[in-house]
Amino acid sequence: MNAPASPPTWVLLRGLTRGAGHWGDFPVRLQQALPNARLILPELPGNGVRHREVSPSRVPAMTEALRGTLQPVLKDGPVHVLALSLGAMVACDWAARHPQELRGAVLVNTSLRPFSPLHHRLRPAAPLALLRWLWRLRSARGRALSGPAWEAELLGLTSALAASQPLRARAVLTHWEALRRTNPVSAANTLRQLWAAARYRAPLQPPTVPMLVLNGAADRLVNPACSQRLAQAWQLPLQAHSLAGHDLPLDDAAWVAQQVARWSASLSPVTNWPDAARRPR
């Protein structure tokens, strides 16, 4: 007889230069939607509390760094992952190369080669902002980037809050500025992460891991067509938010949590680790 199903573990993974603190109140909302779940908020090397580490310049190396961090957790069985943007690239690589470790993956506003061209992976508003960022990176000469202007530009590019909820947007900006002062991400690590994201190429064949794609139709950084093309190529379910931007969990945490809870309820439970490990790779 199989052992009883253990409580599901969800790994939440942020994107470019963002750490666990940038999730805001989303973990609370997700915990409410998945009351029996265990939530884990790791960080990639170079971000958050790991800002002093060197960011890998390849997505597979980021995956291995993450797996190393999670080894004690993975001993208990396969996990679910919810990942945003660059984090979703890591989730795709993880699912492709180590599918036995994942129960499911939710991919939020990501863009992948070979499914989307460059002009879709960066929307028209993004290149000018990126040029300004690169000028600041050059001026920083490897030091951490800081200042309200940097975070305000990121917020305007990744969130729809500024237009719809200006008071909340100011509170988020204050929080992000505090996070940058506490855990500053260096210019060099920012460039390494950009380089990793630019050259990562997902497999043509979908991983065997169940996946859900979420996107925001008001994304100013990545064209929502990128999520649509990924969902079509891999035959994945897609749910779109008509008003949210790139940072979908920030713009509407309750909606994301609801979509995740509804989708995860459709997954068959894993009863024990040995059975899960025998699944075909």
Side-chain angles (χ1 to χ4, degrees):
M1 180 180 295
N2 288 331
S6 58
T9 297
W10 280 85
V11 175
L12 309 186
L13 193 61
R14 292 286 304 192
L16 184 77
T17 75
R18 307 284 88 175
H22 291 91
W23 282 115
D25 68 348
F26 175 69
V28 174
R29 297 299 186 104
L30 185 60
Q31 190 73 77
Q32 292 170 347
L34 302 171
N36 297 322
R38 173 175 59 160
L39 305 186
I40 298 177
L41 282 64
E43 293 173 318
L44 295 174
N47 295 342
V49 297
R50 304 181 69 177
H51 66 274
R52 291 185 177 87
E53 301 179 35
V54 175
S55 292
S57 59
R58 296 175 60 252
V59 166
M62 294 180 179
T63 305
E64 296 312 310
L66 176 65
R67 292 179 64 241
T69 301
L70 296 175
Q71 279 307 304
V73 177
L74 293 173
K75 289 179 181 178
D76 295 333
V79 301
H80 304 74
V81 59
L82 183 149
L84 170 67
S85 196
L86 173 60
M89 296 182 194
V90 173
C92 288
D93 178 66
W94 191 1
R97 296 192 298 111
H98 306 283
Q100 75 282 2
E101 295 178 351
L102 296 183
R103 276 286 297 118
V106 178
L107 312 175
V108 184
N109 281 332
T110 195
S111 63
L112 298 174
R113 297 169 60 206
F115 308 119
S116 297
L118 180 60
H119 68 279
H120 280 179
R121 299 186 70 198
L122 285 178
R123 298 205 76 167
L128 288 178
L130 287 173
L131 286 174
R132 289 192 293 269
W133 296 349
L134 290 172
W135 176 256
R136 291 171 184 154
L137 291 173
R138 181 178 180 274
S139 300
R141 295 182 181 275
R143 293 178 284 108
L145 296 170
S146 61
W150 170 262
E151 293 298 339
E153 192 148 32
L154 282 177
L155 184 63
L157 196 58
T158 60
S159 172
L161 286 179
S164 62
Q165 302 178 53
L167 291 178
R168 183 167 170 243
R170 282 198 288 273
V172 170
L173 183 57
T174 299
H175 177 58
W176 284 10
E177 290 168 2
L179 288 174
R180 183 166 291 279
R181 287 193 297 270
T182 304
N183 299 316
V185 179
S186 72
N189 276 340
T190 301
L191 287 173
R192 289 188 187 97
Q193 292 175 41
L194 281 168
W195 180 233
R199 62 178 174 161
Y200 175 65
R201 185 179 181 89
L204 289 174
Q205 295 300 316
T208 58
V209 175
M211 292 182 171
L212 169 68
V213 179
L214 301 178
N215 78 343
D219 191 339
R220 297 182 64 232
L221 183 64
V222 173
N223 193 315
C226 294
S227 290
Q228 295 164 7
R229 290 194 175 188
L230 172 62
Q232 291 170 356
W234 283 359
Q235 293 296 292
L236 304 177
L238 167 68
Q239 296 294 332
H241 191 298
S242 61
L243 301 176
H246 189 71
D247 198 337
L248 183 48
L250 171 65
D251 285 356
D252 199 337
W255 183 87
V256 176
Q258 180 186 50
Q259 299 301 322
V260 171
R262 184 179 300 160
W263 174 76
S264 63
S266 69
L267 302 179
S268 59
V270 170
T271 55
N272 56 40
W273 176 238
D275 284 349
R278 283 197 290 268
R279 287 184 299 167
R281 300 192 178 199

